[in-house]
Amino acid sequence: MRHTGTLTPQFFVTAPQPCPYLAGRQERKLFTALYGDNSVALNDTLSRKGFRRSQNVLYRPSCADCAACLSARLPVADFRPSRSQAKVLRRNSDIVRRSNAPWATEEQFELFRAYLDARHADGGMAEMDEIEFAAMIEESPVRTRVVEYRLPEENDRLIAVCLTDLLADGVSMVYSFFDTTLERRSLGAFMILDHVRIASDAQLPYVYLGYWVPGSPKMAYKARYRPFEIYQAGRWLRVDRPEAVRTDEHPLSSTPILEQVAEITSRELLDDR
């Protein structure tokens, strides 16, 4: 179904389907296409409104009776690694980071397939083939990098990858995967911590982490990086105590789709021009 406000872009909403994070619930997404000369500006603007990018689409959850999916970001200037996170950085000091243009390789795909088989064998991406993987990496109309992590002492072995967007106010971790056999290295945590360093070196204020879902075990790790911010009720809120965050699930509390689109197109996009 299409929904159009007073200004471009056009927004659409997906049909309800089972939620991948919370059992017994239905998910629905509001989305718009990224194309043309305005893609970079639109990605920057809507990322600040809780949207995420997947190839040439920007989306955010817009469920009828649930508001549990909360866009999360780290304020770089305020972030301090915990004692265990500092150990992760020291443990991986032998890793070399390389930032490349968004181009898929066989080496990346082999690591990606092994990661899915180990961690997400029953997930929505489990059947992705090499062509679909290349599309995920390469079909980006915005400023994107493939950040590779390698071990020089092991013949430059590729052990982790993050598809990263460069935003006006930060870096967005679009998708990451890693060698799950190197459990002691905590490579997922390391990539987040390293992206804080990337943003800091570039003097960018935020690292966008995607969606944090209170009550979902698979998303709980994002609350370990503190302080962090969540996009809730149309604004970014600082979170020091994740257990205190509440999500209103009453169906009458959800803003109707048309009202959401009207707010984005008539006020939020105008304010950012």
Side-chain angles (χ1 to χ4, degrees):
M1 183 180 299
R2 182 178 71 184
H3 296 279
T4 307
T6 57
L7 300 173
T8 55
Q10 293 182 331
F11 288 86
F12 304 82
V13 62
T14 63
Q17 58 185 357
C19 176
Y21 304 117
L22 298 173
R25 301 191 192 178
Q26 296 285 302
E27 75 164 358
R28 187 179 63 179
K29 293 185 177 74
L30 179 68
F31 69 96
T32 187
L34 274 174
Y35 61 90
D37 297 336
N38 196 41
S39 294
V40 171
L42 187 62
N43 191 39
D44 287 340
T45 296
L46 291 187
S47 292
R48 292 193 291 270
K49 312 302 180 187
F51 281 74
R52 295 284 290 168
R53 184 184 71 83
S54 176
Q55 295 175 231
N56 62 348
V57 169
L58 286 171
Y59 69 92
R60 77 179 182 195
S62 182
C63 304
D65 56 0
C66 180
C69 291
L70 303 168
S71 188
R73 69 185 185 184
L74 300 180
V76 172
D78 296 336
F79 177 77
R80 298 292 182 273
S82 66
R83 185 174 300 178
S84 62
Q85 289 165 355
K87 288 181 180 178
V88 169
L89 288 170
R90 290 194 297 269
R91 194 178 300 137
N92 291 293
S93 60
D94 57 334
I95 291 176
V96 170
R97 177 214 309 147
R98 292 182 185 150
S99 180
N100 306 311
W103 186 256
T105 67
E106 290 185 10
E107 187 180 27
Q108 293 167 7
F109 180 68
E110 289 176 3
L111 181 62
F112 171 75
R113 283 302 333 165
Y115 171 78
L116 288 183
D117 291 343
R119 292 290 181 90
H120 303 288
D122 58 349
M125 303 174 74
E127 303 302 321
M128 281 183 65
D129 60 23
E130 198 163 359
I131 294 175
E132 292 167 322
F133 173 76
M136 180 181 76
I137 297 293
E138 298 172 11
E139 290 184 9
S140 171
V142 300
R143 299 167 295 191
T144 301
R145 298 291 182 271
V146 176
V147 183
E148 295 184 341
Y149 295 91
R150 295 180 176 273
L151 291 176
E153 295 182 1
E154 296 185 20
N155 296 319
D156 213 31
R157 180 159 70 99
L158 180 68
I159 60 171
V161 175
C162 186
L163 184 64
T164 304
D165 281 354
L166 309 179
L167 305 176
D169 67 344
V171 294
S172 176
M173 300 180 70
V174 176
Y175 190 77
S176 61
F177 52 95
F178 53 87
D179 187 340
T180 60
T181 67
L182 302 176
E183 187 173 352
R184 186 175 176 275
R185 286 184 176 272
S186 302
L187 290 172
F190 173 70
M191 282 191 282
I192 292 175
L193 296 168
D194 189 60
H195 274 69
V196 172
R197 295 193 294 201
I198 291 172
S200 178
D201 290 345
Q203 298 184 325
L204 295 170
Y206 300 109
V207 174
Y208 287 82
L209 296 179
Y211 294 108
W212 173 55
V213 187
S216 171
K218 68 173 65 175
M219 290 296 182
Y221 72 91
K222 295 181 182 180
R224 298 174 193 150
Y225 302 86
R226 304 181 192 176
F228 67 103
E229 297 180 358
I230 57 172
Y231 190 78
Q232 190 175 49
R235 57 182 178 146
W236 289 97
L237 304 172
R238 179 181 171 119
V239 177
D240 292 292
R241 297 177 55 245
E243 66 275 10
V245 174
R246 296 290 179 265
T247 57
D248 192 343
E249 299 168 6
H250 192 282
L252 295 182
S253 68
S254 299
T255 304
I257 291 288
L258 285 175
E259 290 184 22
Q260 292 184 47
V261 172
E263 289 176 359
I264 294 169
T265 56
S266 64
R267 177 173 58 84
E268 296 182 1
L269 290 180
L270 274 177
D271 290 346
D272 283 321
R273 290 189 169 191

